[in-house]
Every structure is written in structure tokens, then in C-alpha cells.
Amino acid sequence: LSKDKIGFNLSILILNVFEDVLLSKADNFFQQSERVRKYVEKYLKGVRSERPRLFLRMLQMALQEQNPNIVRTKGEPLLRKLEVTPFPGDAFTEIEIVPYEHLWDFFLKALSSKYDNKANDE
């Protein structure tokens, strides 16, 4: 795969998902979930892409569920699997500057914050 398909587009996709969550654009969650699903199906194949594939599956599930308590519970098995999955070679090392485990923690905090704010507004 070209570098944009194995990494740089991946980073942009992750940032877009985070942006939608941080800006509370819940109407974009389904669309983002579909983008993530299609990206995984098309570009993340093989052993070397296991870590990004797991992380994107976690994000996809979070976009579908949206409730941080459910997301945390359903994401736990995937997180455990991610934690024991070794880092791949050079192709993804330069892309995963912040380990996905840390990004997941940040994502859960952001989702919880937005969910709590939404509940307080109602």
C-alpha cells in the first residue's frame, strides 16, 4: 500500500472522529462509523495492521453506541487484545506516535465529558 493508505489517511480519519466527538457532532457519528468500517475493510489487512485495525474497531463501536459506560464495557476485550498485540514494523511505527491505548483513554474521557454535558443540558 502507498504511505497515505497505511498511515497518513489513518491519522486524518482518527482526528476526524475525535473532532466530531469533541465538538459534539453526534449527527456525524453514523457517517464516521461507516467511514471507519470501509477504511478497515479496504486497507487494513494482514498481521502488520492488527493494532490499527483493533483501534478502529473500538472507535467504530464507540460511534455506534455513544454511551461511555457501554463503550467502556464493550471496548474492554478489544483493549486487552490491543495491549498484547505487538507493534508492527516501520510502516506503522511512524504513524502510531501516541500509542492507541493512550488515544483510547483520551477518547473515553472526551466521550464521557460530552455525554455528561449532554445529560446536564436535558
Side-chain angles (χ1 to χ4, degrees), residues 61-116:
M61 177 271 304
L63 289 167
Q64 292 169 347
E65 294 296 337
Q66 299 179 23
N67 181 317
N69 298 322
I70 295 171
V71 170
R72 190 178 312 278
T73 303
K74 285 188 171 184
E76 190 62 34
L78 291 170
L79 179 61
R80 282 196 303 271
K81 193 171 182 178
L82 180 66
E83 290 171 340
V84 298
T85 302
F87 284 86
D90 294 338
F92 287 99
T93 305
E94 63 187 50
I95 301 306
E96 192 178 335
I97 297 169
V98 178
Y100 291 135
E101 294 87 349
H102 297 295
L103 286 177
W104 181 244
D105 185 49
F106 175 78
F107 181 82
L108 286 176
K109 287 177 184 173
L111 186 63
S112 293
S113 173
K114 295 301 174 182
Y115 188 80
D116 291 342

Side-chain angles (χ1 to χ4, degrees), residues 11-107:
S11 299
I12 292 169
L13 179 62
I14 291 169
L15 285 173
N16 284 337
V17 169
F18 276 45
E19 179 183 43
D20 282 353
V21 170
L22 292 171
L23 297 177
S24 300
K25 294 183 179 178
D27 52 324
N28 289 350
F29 284 12
F30 177 76
Q31 179 184 359
Q32 288 287 20
S33 175
E34 282 300 301
R35 284 183 63 209
V36 168
R37 182 188 62 77
K38 288 176 183 178
Y39 188 90
V40 169
E41 285 179 1
K42 189 168 184 177
Y43 299 114
L44 298 179
K45 299 180 186 338
V47 176
R48 293 181 55 132
S49 58
E50 184 65 15
R51 285 184 60 82
R53 185 173 41 247
L54 283 168
F55 183 67
L56 287 183
R57 282 179 55 203
M58 293 163 73
L59 285 182
Q60 182 183 9
M61 177 271 304
L63 289 167
Q64 292 169 347
E65 294 296 337
Q66 299 179 23
N67 181 317
N69 298 322
I70 295 171
V71 170
R72 190 178 312 278
T73 303
K74 285 188 171 184
E76 190 62 34
L78 291 170
L79 179 61
R80 282 196 303 271
K81 193 171 182 178
L82 180 66
E83 290 171 340
V84 298
T85 302
F87 284 86
D90 294 338
F92 287 99
T93 305
E94 63 187 50
I95 301 306
E96 192 178 335
I97 297 169
V98 178
Y100 291 135
E101 294 87 349
H102 297 295
L103 286 177
W104 181 244
D105 185 49
F106 175 78
F107 181 82

